[in-house]
Amino acid sequence: MTAPADLQQMMQKVVLRLTGPGGRFEIVEEDVRGNRMQVMRNRDRRVGDLVAESRRWGDRDYIVTADRRISFVEHADAVAALATALRDDYGVGKGDRVAILAANTPEWIITFWATQCLGAITVGLNSWWTPAEIAYGAELVEPKVIVADAKRAAHLAAADVSGFTLLGIEEDVPRIVAERSGAELPSADVDEDDPAVILFTSGTSGRPKGALHSHRNLLAVVDYHRYSDALVAAMRQVPYDDSVPSDNRYLLASPLFHIASLHNLAVPRLATGSAVVMTEGAFDIDKVFSLIEQERVTNWGAVPTMAARMLEHENPGKYDLSSLTAFALASAPSSPALKQRLREKFTFADQALVDSYGLTECSTAVAVATAPELEAFPGTLGSPIITVSMEIRDPFGERVPDGTEGEVCVRSPYVMLGYWKDPAATDAAITADGWLRTGDYGTVENGRLRLTGRRSDLILRGGENVYPTEIEQRLDEHPDVVESAVIGVDDDDLGQEVAAVVVLRPTSTVTEDDLRSFCAERLAYYKVPTVWRITQDLLPRNATGKIVRRAVTV
């Protein structure tokens, strides 16, 4: 058996060979939007170029669902057809926004790539939003075209917004692809720091903010995944050549309007020649296990809620899950106890399970903890990934010593350009020298990150970010509500659930059901509180009048 010290020494040699001078993933320091930082020397500059390059993978599977199979060539042809129509028939060009409002489908991915080939900005609207939330998002980004499925098109109609062309996922996109068959793939002249994507993340102001990602951001994520594949191959002492397609098959089970599914799965797998095996409809663990077995899925990145569904399954042994060799937990905190239960119930989780820390503003993970690290250091989130600089800082922006708690700050080519049309929020989040203030708090011990608190008010429910302010603002609109406070409470299934303490007027007869229905009219279902305490006692406040959340209980 190889000793841990030997493995560490071997790893260091491999990393140096891959990232050192002349290496495939050589790291150099360059100016990025006015600040010096580490980047890969050998990199692409335009996201859309990946489509033309993907034709070399030929008839291999790119997108697979329970009843469809789309090869790389078929996908590239569809992208060329749709991009041509968006350009010629709907006037979409560089910098225009094309929004997608739909559940996961192959057409979602095809639309994304068509937009990128035009140098336009793809906007992933949250498919769980209510009409009011959709209206806000659409009015903020002002899309030239919205591509929506039938269910969300109905919500869009109820949102009463205008100024765009609506194309249907189920009928219009397939019709356009058929009509424009044989079209030449467009290509746009864009700079690597031009905007490419807007994905929404909740903000402490109570309104969702559009995180604006550049071509550099997305392509840096692609190279991170290529590098990770090369590192694994080297450690297994097998040849690696990124001109040869990868046989890995990745399960896509989270929404495409998240970085986990779009930036870190659909996009890089076009570049590596790997299959994306996509689930459609509501999450069903039996359907997922069946798809893993049928398609011999090798890699799955799950949120803790999905992991909880796995643990609840009475007889997972009836499915052949032996193809899974990589299993990651992400998007929400998960306890060491949950990880241990996974290891005990699922053979593949024993050596494959990894955990990570990331956020929408960073495009991908900030830090990753391997299976041995999770076992040796429970609760760790690992070390920063390649080209990420991470510091723990005090309230004055000064770096603190290892072991001291502070705010997690990062600088890397993955960090977003800023928030769309919100310069104040951008300036608050990104310093003049390019450091992102995550708003998360933690410590670094022996190079490994350990979080002590997610953004002070943030609730992470089943992988979804929920900020109390947005819900409190809705509750405060009710005529019988004096004030309210929304907090997260622990939940074994979802990680956290949304709880509300509501102070009512003395004469009010409003019930929990009334308040729940009132919230549901304007908030996505996952933001609607499920735990309530209705009272007439005023909430605890500090000397400046702010609610003391840590003193609020349900």
Side-chain angles (χ1 to χ4, degrees):
M1 177 181 249
T2 305
D6 293 336
L7 284 174
Q8 185 66 28
Q9 188 176 44
M10 178 182 175
M11 173 76 79
Q12 290 173 349
K13 289 181 179 179
V14 168
V15 170
L16 181 60
R17 175 168 57 83
L18 292 174
T19 64
R24 167 62 182 84
F25 303 97
E26 181 181 353
I27 301 299
V28 294
E29 188 176 274
E30 291 184 7
D31 182 272
V32 177
R33 301 174 63 235
N35 294 297
R36 303 291 291 179
M37 67 181 66
Q38 289 190 332
V39 298
M40 289 189 187
R41 181 189 295 278
N42 306 309
R43 62 185 187 274
D44 295 311
R45 296 326 200 251
R46 300 183 298 190
V47 173
D49 289 348
L50 296 178
V51 179
E53 294 169 6
S54 73
R55 286 188 179 277
R56 60 181 170 167
W57 309 134
D59 294 331
R60 293 173 62 89
D61 291 338
Y62 173 41
I63 306 173
V64 178
T65 69
D67 55 6
R68 296 173 67 186
R69 200 172 295 273
I70 300 172
S71 72
F72 285 92
V73 168
E74 290 169 336
H75 170 262
D77 288 343
V79 170
L82 182 57
T84 300
L86 288 173
R87 179 193 63 196
D88 296 348
D89 299 343
Y90 303 104
V92 175
K94 180 180 177 180
D96 290 328
R97 273 77 64 205
V98 174
I100 308 173
L101 180 61
N104 287 0
T105 65
E107 284 71 24
W108 206 113
I109 295 177
I110 291 168
T111 302
F112 166 81
W113 286 112
T115 305
Q116 293 304 305
C117 288
L118 296 173
I121 301 172
T122 313
V123 181
L125 296 175
N126 189 319
S127 64
W128 295 341
W129 275 350
T130 64
E133 291 166 312
I134 292 170
Y136 170 76
E139 289 168 354
L140 178 68
V141 302
E142 300 177 295
K144 183 164 283 189
V145 174
I146 296 181
V147 180
D149 59 26
K151 179 178 178 180
R152 280 80 188 179
H155 293 335
L156 191 58
D160 192 27
V161 289
S162 59
F164 56 86
T165 296
L166 176 63
L167 296 178
I169 281 275
E170 296 90 346
E171 296 182 2
D172 291 332
V173 173
R175 172 184 56 78
I176 290 170
V177 168
E179 291 176 351
R180 293 280 185 162
S181 177
E184 184 177 345
L185 185 69
S187 179
D189 183 16
V190 296
D191 183 80
E192 62 181 326
D193 288 314
D194 282 341
V197 178
I198 297 172
L199 296 183
F200 282 86
T201 179
S202 297
T204 52
S205 64
R207 286 286 201 177
K209 296 195 293 291
L212 182 62
H213 298 135
S214 66
H215 289 261
R216 183 195 297 275
N217 294 155
L218 268 70
L219 292 169
V221 175
V222 169
D223 280 333
Y224 162 62
H225 285 278
R226 284 172 169 156
Y227 166 76
S228 297
D229 289 348
L231 188 61
V232 169
M235 293 302 291
R236 292 176 178 172
Q237 298 183 321
V238 298
Y240 173 80
D241 181 351
D242 57 16
S243 67
V244 176
S246 167
D247 289 328
N248 288 341
R249 301 175 72 81
Y250 292 78
L251 185 71
L252 194 163
S254 297
L256 279 160
F257 55 78
H258 283 176
I259 60 167
S261 290
L262 184 60
H263 294 22
N264 291 274
L265 209 165
V267 172
R269 296 316 146 199
L270 190 81
T272 62
S274 313
V276 173
V277 181
M278 181 191 299
T279 63
E280 295 180 288
F283 184 84
D284 182 303
I285 191 60
D286 280 291
K287 290 182 179 178
V288 168
F289 281 165
S290 179
L291 201 56
I292 291 172
E293 178 182 63
Q294 175 184 325
E295 294 296 332
R296 305 304 294 160
V297 169
T298 59
N299 297 62
W300 181 17
V303 301
T305 306
M306 296 174 184
R309 297 285 185 271
M310 294 166 60
L311 291 169
E312 291 170 0
H313 199 285
E314 294 181 357
N315 185 24
K318 71 177 183 178
Y319 298 99
D320 180 4
L321 306 178
S322 61
S323 61
L324 275 174
T325 56
F327 180 67
L329 289 175
S331 301
S334 56
S335 67
L338 174 67
K339 296 182 181 74
Q340 185 56 35
R341 291 199 299 273
L342 285 168
R343 295 188 191 98
E344 292 170 354
K345 189 164 185 175
F346 296 96
T347 304
F348 64 80
D350 188 36
Q351 296 299 319
L353 180 62
V354 300
D355 202 353
S356 63
Y357 162 67
L359 57 164
T360 303
E361 290 86 345
C362 282
S363 305
T364 188
V366 170
V368 174
T370 63
E373 283 180 306
L374 291 175
E375 187 172 355
F377 306 98
T380 184
L381 288 165
S383 305
I385 69 170
I386 190 168
T387 69
V388 168
S389 298
M390 181 178 71
E391 293 184 355
I392 306 298
R393 296 183 171 185
D394 65 19
F396 302 101
E398 298 296 327
R399 184 173 184 173
V400 299
D402 284 4
T404 304
E405 182 183 89
E407 183 177 15
V408 181
C409 297
V410 297
R411 184 168 66 180
S412 76
Y414 311 114
V415 170
M416 66 175 184
L417 296 173
Y419 295 114
W420 180 260
K421 289 187 177 180
D422 197 339
T426 299
D427 290 344
I430 303 177
T431 66
D433 53 353
W435 286 87
L436 175 73
R437 301 182 57 190
T438 68
D440 296 331
Y441 290 82
T443 62
V444 170
E445 302 162 7
N446 298 318
R448 299 181 183 88
L449 175 66
R450 189 180 300 273
L451 287 186
T452 55
R454 303 285 293 189
R455 298 174 180 90
S456 59
D457 299 337
L458 177 64
I459 301 167
L460 277 165
R461 180 195 181 279
E464 290 296 322
N465 289 353
V466 180
Y467 277 93
T469 304
E470 184 180 14
I471 305 167
E472 290 164 357
Q473 288 175 349
R474 176 57 180 163
L475 284 168
D476 292 347
E477 291 175 0
H478 195 288
D480 284 1
V481 172
V482 176
E483 60 180 358
S484 63
V486 172
I487 59 174
V489 293
D490 292 340
D491 183 90
D492 291 337
D493 186 11
L494 297 168
Q496 286 184 303
E497 261 291 15
V498 182
V501 178
V502 183
V503 180
L504 295 179
R505 302 187 189 284
T507 57
S508 175
T509 58
V510 168
T511 65
E512 288 181 15
D513 288 341
D514 294 332
L515 294 172
R516 189 177 294 110
S517 297
F518 183 75
C519 287
E521 290 175 2
R522 296 185 64 85
L523 298 174
Y525 79 92
Y526 62 89
K527 300 177 184 176
V528 177
T530 56
V531 179
W532 297 82
R533 180 164 72 88
I534 296 178
T535 180
Q536 292 181 350
D537 297 326
L538 294 177
L539 298 171
R541 294 179 181 271
N542 62 20
T544 61
K546 294 182 179 179
I547 294 173
V548 183
R549 290 186 185 275
R550 64 179 179 274
V552 175
T553 60
V554 292

